[in-house]
Amino acid sequence: MKRRYKFTDKNQSRLGILSCVLGAAALLLTGGILAAAYMEYGQAGKSVAVLGFLAMLLSFAGMYHGIRGLMEEDTYQLFPYMGCVLNGVLLTAFIVVYMLGW
């Protein structure tokens, strides 16, 4: 069996992992509300709007934690970058939807 040595004290960023989890939750929630709105031909109601606002807040929180994760020292940067990209794309989508007036 091959031994693997770790020559660094770096660990995965907990804030970066949290950012990815929040981004995934926001993505799933956004997909669900878009599917619900599509099935109701755009007349889904206030509950879908509230869930969309919740998804946007989750995305804001994920972006915040992703940026904080990027500022941590001695951690790997993969999860904070993934979380920032995912939450940034979601926030951009929310802004586009708002600007188009959907």
Side-chain angles (χ1 to χ4, degrees):
M1 188 152 125
K2 186 177 181 182
R3 291 187 182 185
R4 295 182 186 209
Y5 294 101
K6 185 177 176 183
F7 293 108
T8 182
D9 291 333
K10 287 184 177 185
N11 292 321
Q12 295 294 340
S13 171
R14 292 185 188 268
L15 291 173
I17 294 170
L18 178 62
S19 173
C20 285
V21 168
L22 289 174
L27 182 66
L28 289 174
L29 191 57
T30 302
I33 62 172
L34 287 176
Y38 179 76
M39 297 299 272
E40 294 293 325
Y41 301 104
Q43 304 298 321
K46 292 179 185 176
S47 62
V48 170
V50 170
L51 289 176
F53 186 71
L54 177 66
M56 186 180 68
L57 290 179
L58 282 174
S59 187
F60 271 123
M63 181 64 93
Y64 173 75
H65 289 300
I67 291 171
R68 285 194 52 210
L70 286 173
M71 291 184 206
E72 287 182 340
E73 293 183 8
D74 296 331
T75 58
Y76 293 111
Q77 301 295 312
L78 175 67
F79 284 111
Y81 277 125
M82 285 182 3
C84 283
V85 168
L86 177 60
N87 289 305
V89 167
L90 283 170
L91 285 174
T92 303
F94 285 124
I95 290 170
V96 167
V97 166
Y98 178 75
M99 295 298 253
L100 291 176
W102 282 357

